[in-house]
Amino acid sequence: MFTGKNDVPDPSQVKLIVTAKTRAADEVVALTLAHPDGRRLPDWTPGSHVDVVLPSGVNRQYSLCGDRWDAQSYRIAVLHEAEGRGGSAYIHEELTEGTMLALGGPRNNFRLVPSEKYVFIAGGIGITPMLPMIQQAEMLDADWKLLYLGRARSTMAFLDELAEYGDHVVVLPKDESGPSQLEELIDGPSADTKVYVCGPQRLLAAVERHCAAWPAGLLRLEHFAAKAQGAHARDVPFEVELARAGLSVTVSPDVSILDALQNAGVNVLTSCREGTCGTCEVPVLAGVPDHRDSILNDADRASGNCMFPCVSRSCSDRLVLDL
């Protein structure tokens, strides 16, 4: 993708055309995208996102929220963020049907794992990855429910589509039901139930605190923005050894691993540079990563088998990467 001068183009990138732009709710538009020649698009699974490169070069990630069995089109939905960096403003105010956009992916950091029961909790635009998950749960005849939080019904996208699921869906607009209390929404942990949550950072942080004592693997979150991180584990240079390239690179405290590698002429595919998209994931062969991404769960972090060099660093003097 092209979010910086050293960024490496995504070989999976395709040019798609916007075939429809529709209003999904107040300040939310849905875009349908297709190949200009009608070609089949890459398959995807519930929880997947795509990297969207706007004509200005701005790169953003959006969850796929359409029908995964439709091989000719993708659907994404975009919230107009007043305090954003301009991507959503362009999509809402300037982008028109017929515009060509470059897309990378799809990639999935929020996979729907097998379970007898599911609880889906969506806050605002966090409903987007939940739609295909619900479709999958229905196909598998799993027991599920959706708790959909928002400011008001007018701001909550896809309510018409969700209505067909009846009492599986609980809609909780704040202006009607007041602030939602997590202890009332989330039961205690159950081995046969997976809980999936997506929405604003304050919701995710509250859920993480509420479920901090749960066994690993029962709670899964997706972050649309980077989580706040504490100080680096260490503020001294460290070595990154590339096992396949036979190269060693020194990473200073003020330079990311990704930039150090790219400055040394090593091509690493990247996109968001915030530790949220998963594009730059690399396997770790030795050493202890200082994980600073918003993707890996506690078990993945403890294993130390992979890392995201756009934001993560090292707890050890040396890291060996499978590059």
Side-chain angles (χ1 to χ4, degrees):
M1 310 306 282
F2 303 97
T3 57
K5 64 180 181 180
N6 293 319
D7 285 0
V8 180
D10 183 347
S12 71
Q13 191 179 100
V14 295
K15 292 276 191 177
L16 300 186
I17 189 168
V18 178
T19 59
K21 177 182 177 181
T22 59
R23 178 184 177 277
D26 290 350
E27 301 300 317
V28 179
V29 295
L31 303 181
T32 302
L33 304 116
H35 195 282
D37 297 331
R39 297 178 191 171
R40 181 186 180 94
L41 300 180
D43 294 336
W44 57 281
T45 53
S48 294
H49 71 269
V50 289
D51 304 307
V52 178
V53 184
L54 302 177
S56 64
V58 168
N59 186 327
R60 295 291 182 266
Q61 288 74 44
Y62 298 107
S63 296
L64 290 171
C65 61
D67 180 2
R68 63 174 293 212
W69 304 110
D70 178 357
Q72 267 66 50
S73 70
Y74 288 159
R75 184 177 70 170
I76 61 173
V78 181
L79 172 68
H80 191 176
E81 300 182 80
E83 304 301 321
R85 294 172 292 173
S88 67
Y90 167 81
I91 289 173
H92 276 255
E93 299 166 10
E94 300 181 48
L95 182 141
T96 59
E97 293 180 6
T99 300
M100 294 287 290
L101 298 175
L103 266 71
R107 299 182 181 86
N108 199 338
N109 305 317
F110 195 43
R111 296 184 183 279
L112 187 68
V113 299
S115 182
E116 294 179 26
K117 300 178 181 179
Y118 297 99
V119 175
F120 303 110
I121 303 176
I125 197 63
I127 191 61
T128 50
M130 303 300 186
L131 295 177
M133 289 186 176
I134 288 169
Q135 294 171 355
Q136 184 80 359
E138 278 283 286
M139 288 182 61
L140 297 174
D141 200 27
D143 184 0
W144 67 272
K145 68 176 178 179
L146 167 69
L147 306 174
Y148 188 7
L149 288 63
R151 296 194 313 274
R153 288 179 186 271
S154 63
T155 69
M156 302 170 73
F158 306 116
L159 286 178
D160 53 342
E161 296 182 19
L162 292 168
E164 69 180 79
Y165 296 114
D167 58 9
H168 282 283
V169 176
V170 180
V171 180
L172 296 167
K174 186 177 180 180
D175 66 345
E176 296 178 20
S177 42
S180 298
Q181 303 300 319
L182 289 180
E183 57 271 18
E184 298 175 3
L185 299 179
I186 304 177
D187 295 331
S190 176
D192 66 352
T193 304
K194 300 293 190 296
V195 179
Y196 282 75
V197 189
C198 187
Q201 288 300 112
R202 62 183 180 278
L203 171 63
L204 302 182
V207 170
E208 284 186 301
R209 289 193 299 269
H210 181 76
C211 303
W214 282 26
L218 299 184
L219 175 68
R220 295 183 64 87
L221 310 176
E222 180 167 57
H223 294 264
F224 282 144
K227 294 169 60 176
Q229 303 285 349
H232 295 166
R234 52 190 288 164
D235 274 327
V236 294
F238 56 91
E239 295 297 311
V240 173
E241 180 181 330
L242 309 183
R244 285 186 281 128
L247 177 69
S248 184
V249 176
T250 300
V251 182
S252 60
D254 59 340
V255 174
S256 71
I257 296 176
L258 180 66
D259 284 340
L261 295 178
Q262 292 185 331
N263 289 340
V266 180
N267 290 336
V268 179
L269 186 64
T270 184
S271 178
C272 74
R273 289 183 171 262
E274 295 180 340
T276 59
C277 75
T279 305
C280 66
E281 179 178 354
V282 294
V284 178
L285 303 179
V288 182
D290 175 14
H291 294 293
R292 308 184 62 77
D293 62 273
S294 303
I295 299 170
L296 297 178
N297 59 34
D298 290 343
D300 293 331
R301 289 171 182 251
S303 74
N305 292 331
C306 68
M307 68 178 298
F308 301 93
C310 64
V311 292
S312 296
R313 301 188 66 77
S314 180
C315 296
S316 52
D317 292 334
R318 173 173 159 271
L319 281 177
V320 182
L321 304 183
D322 187 14
L323 288 174

